[in-house]
Amino acid sequence: MGIPSFSVEATANWEHLTDWAHVLEGAGFDRLLVSEHIAFGMNIDAYADPDVGGTAGGRQPTGPDGPWLEPLTVLTYLAARTERIRLGTNILLAALRPAAVLAKTVATLDVLSGGRIDLGVGVGWQREEYEVAGVDFDRRGAILDQTLEVCTRLWRENEVSYASPELTFERIHQMPKPLQPGGLPIWVSGTVNRAVARRLARFGKYWIPWGQDARDLAGGIGRMRAAVDATGGDPDGFGVTGSLRAKADADDRPDLAAVAADAAALAKAGVTDLRLTHWPPRFGNREADLRTFVEAVRGAVTA
């Protein structure tokens, strides 16, 4: 489940982050996620423009002055307050950070958390965010690929040399390595297209569908497996995340039968990781209800 590391308006404190982390860990969730924006321009409506990476009909959850916490800092904060639950980004705009700096930061976080970090990445939709960071928005996909290549090599190899038109270095050592063998699991977000399929085949352990492919999961999964196969990758070599909504029954309580049916249908379509998108506050006892919710979902997908 994603927890809000942002706010529509200024907030007095961020204690809800720790509260949610404890609730989800106690209820048996596998991982919690936080999202990111470095900064905002004034063209918030671009979120709904698929031509720049947005999603048709989508809406940015805050205005340009809504506070957003930096996600890797938030995960470090939560790693010190949890023991079991995995901690991930959905998504990190990885191309906005120098590759070696990102590799060092997340490796450190993985070590300090006991190997509990997942790195969800994507290219985003906002040109102004790239401009303020001094990164070429029109080359953001290629820059992301380079960032992921440098990160994975620094995580896996003791001595790394690299050469490209934009970045060259020789015989670089970076320690410590992440605790997780081979480095952090990378979740690649995006629609079905050749660039995303190639990125998923090269670097990704999971796919986060976006746009129309998230709305038509069964069809999107089939299209992505074919696209990955066409790049020479393993069409069955990645997991897929899908969104699961909590529904209310006639008594305005969690409808466990409905959510179990939805979970089973998503699993049948090829989804391997179910992400709860929202938990209505009116449901009351969050931890007890969420624990029952998790049990119902797990029972449905393993039946």
Side-chain angles (χ1 to χ4, degrees), residues 234-301:
D234 180 358
D236 299 311
F238 58 91
V240 181
T241 189
S243 297
L244 189 64
R245 295 190 64 86
K247 299 178 180 179
D249 62 16
D251 297 321
D252 205 25
R253 298 290 301 150
D255 191 334
L256 298 180
V259 77
D262 288 347
L266 287 168
K268 185 177 180 180
V271 170
T272 59
D273 291 78
L274 295 165
R275 180 171 304 166
L276 181 60
T277 58
H278 176 64
W279 188 255
R282 68 180 187 276
F283 281 172
N285 188 326
R286 287 186 304 176
E287 186 164 339
D289 285 346
L290 281 165
R291 189 180 298 112
T292 305
F293 178 91
V294 168
E295 291 169 356
V297 169
R298 289 207 168 110
V301 300

Side-chain angles (χ1 to χ4, degrees), residues 174-250:
Q174 188 180 84
M175 299 294 280
K177 305 301 184 190
L179 284 189
Q180 298 180 81
L184 280 68
I186 294 174
W187 300 59
V188 173
S189 176
T191 58
V192 176
N193 60 64
R194 181 171 177 79
V196 173
R198 187 171 57 245
R199 187 173 304 132
L200 180 59
R202 290 183 66 195
F203 307 112
K205 187 173 181 179
Y206 300 93
W207 175 43
I208 306 171
W210 182 247
Q212 179 58 35
D213 296 307
R215 291 186 284 271
D216 172 25
L217 266 175
I221 291 169
R223 290 188 292 271
M224 182 57 88
R225 296 203 187 284
V228 167
D229 188 43
T231 70
D234 180 358
D236 299 311
F238 58 91
V240 181
T241 189
S243 297
L244 189 64
R245 295 190 64 86
K247 299 178 180 179
D249 62 16

